[in-house]
Amino acid sequence: MTFWEDYDRALDERAAQERERAYAARMQDDERMTSVHLMQASMLGDMLKALGRARENGKPDILDRQIASLHEEARRQKACEDFDEADRALVRAETIAWAQNLLKELEKKYEQ
């Protein structure tokens, strides 16, 4: 298996887990968490696959910039007392950070 096959497979597995969590939340009539988990599943698809490759193809700080931007967005939303949107921005930042950590783990694996 190649580096990118491992990366894509891990993203796909995590996206499937998020869809399962969304389904469980829907069964609990928790619309907010259903939406949050579906948002994460969506991010773990093409978006993070493309950002991961961009990181490797000349934009090494792209994930860091996305995370910083989302933390700033959360700060702005909290200042406006939109705590739900602030939380969503933090969830998006955490999801990107998870993918970034995955890339770092795979880099170590493939350096050996």
Side-chain angles (χ1 to χ4, degrees):
M1 192 169 283
T2 69
F3 179 93
W4 292 111
E5 288 171 336
D6 271 352
Y7 179 67
D8 290 350
R9 180 187 48 77
L11 290 177
D12 291 342
E13 287 174 3
R14 174 88 187 262
Q17 292 170 355
E18 292 302 332
R19 285 190 293 276
E20 288 174 10
R21 290 180 182 128
Y23 177 78
R26 183 176 296 137
M27 293 299 101
Q28 297 289 323
D29 291 324
D30 188 340
E31 292 179 30
R32 181 181 183 284
M33 289 311 296
T34 299
S35 174
V36 166
H37 290 302
L38 289 174
M39 174 187 69
Q40 287 180 285
S42 176
M43 290 177 68
L44 291 158
D46 292 339
M47 178 190 146
L48 283 170
K49 288 176 183 177
L51 286 175
R53 284 169 176 77
R55 176 182 174 266
E56 295 301 310
N57 293 317
K59 295 186 179 183
D61 64 341
I62 193 164
L63 296 174
D64 287 325
R65 287 186 314 186
Q66 290 291 317
I67 292 166
S69 174
L70 288 164
H71 280 281
E72 177 59 24
E73 177 67 17
R75 187 196 63 73
R76 282 192 308 271
Q77 294 301 331
K78 283 180 185 175
C80 295
E81 297 186 7
D82 188 344
F83 300 108
D84 182 59
E85 192 54 41
D87 184 55
R88 287 176 181 274
L90 292 175
V91 168
R92 290 191 305 269
E94 290 167 4
T95 305
I96 294 170
W98 178 86
Q100 184 177 47
N101 288 333
L102 172 62
L103 285 166
K104 290 175 184 176
E105 289 174 20
L106 289 173
E107 286 167 352
K108 287 179 186 175
K109 175 184 172 182
Y110 280 90
E111 283 176 357
Q112 299 174 2

